[in-house]
Amino acid sequence: MQKLLILAEGQLDIFSAKTAVGVLRYRPEAVAAILDSEHAGQRTSELLGVALDVPIVATLTEGLAFAPDALLLGIAPAGGRLPEEWRALIRAALEAGLHVVSGLHEFLNEDAEFRTLAEERGLRLVDLRRPPIEQRIAHGEARACGRGAC
């Protein structure tokens, strides 16, 4: 199972960090720690109203001590754009060997710097909003099944 270090630097609240809160509520076993220097040491149950407490750390180095496999961008900012001040953290996470998972509208795979770092290290950049290459919609397959062809 993949263990996530959730990046919410400076935005760890129930409105900005909707992605982080959703994962904490519905996949708590997947969370190793949360990275947010402004709230380091606080309790996620009190801060976010979730039923569990996971460590909130101030630095990537502290987060790596919890053995995550991937960095999850845990916010849903207006416009879905990557905060410029997060670029160094993402770069450092890739250099540390973490895959990076993003639900932003801005695709990490289209960023030459991140793509190169990931490729050099055999890591994945996962853009959750990118539609599948082949999205099969309305091909009449159900009709064929009704005639016993499936």
Side-chain angles (χ1 to χ4, degrees):
M1 167 186 284
Q2 194 170 53
K3 282 292 200 181
L4 303 169
L5 174 59
I6 300 178
L7 178 56
E9 180 60 38
Q11 299 185 48
L12 187 58
D13 62 60
I14 61 171
F15 301 108
S16 298
K18 293 186 292 187
T19 302
V21 172
V23 173
L24 285 167
R25 283 191 178 138
Y26 302 108
R27 289 291 310 272
E29 71 281 359
V31 181
I34 298 173
L35 175 53
D36 180 18
S37 62
E38 291 183 18
H39 296 96
Q42 293 184 28
R43 298 169 52 103
T44 53
S45 59
E46 292 173 7
L47 186 63
L48 303 172
V50 295
L52 78 153
D53 284 308
V54 299
I56 302 174
V57 299
T59 67
L60 177 62
T61 301
E62 290 175 39
L64 292 173
F66 292 93
D69 304 306
L71 181 75
L72 170 67
L73 307 188
I75 63 168
R81 307 294 296 173
L82 176 68
E84 187 61 33
E85 60 273 15
W86 282 21
R87 290 188 63 82
L89 282 168
I90 295 168
R91 187 179 316 111
L94 288 164
E95 290 169 349
L98 297 181
H99 304 284
V100 181
V101 180
S102 171
L104 300 178
H105 295 271
E106 183 176 354
F107 297 141
L108 298 179
N109 278 291
E110 293 178 0
D111 185 295
E113 178 186 18
F114 293 152
R115 190 176 57 249
T116 299
L117 281 169
E119 288 172 356
E120 288 173 354
R121 289 159 177 77
L123 298 169
R124 290 179 296 131
L125 298 174
V126 180
D127 291 308
L128 297 171
R129 290 186 183 268
R130 183 178 294 282
I133 293 171
E134 181 182 328
Q135 192 167 9
R136 298 178 51 81
I137 298 174
H139 288 92
E141 293 171 3
R143 183 180 47 192
C145 283
R147 294 189 302 253
C150 55

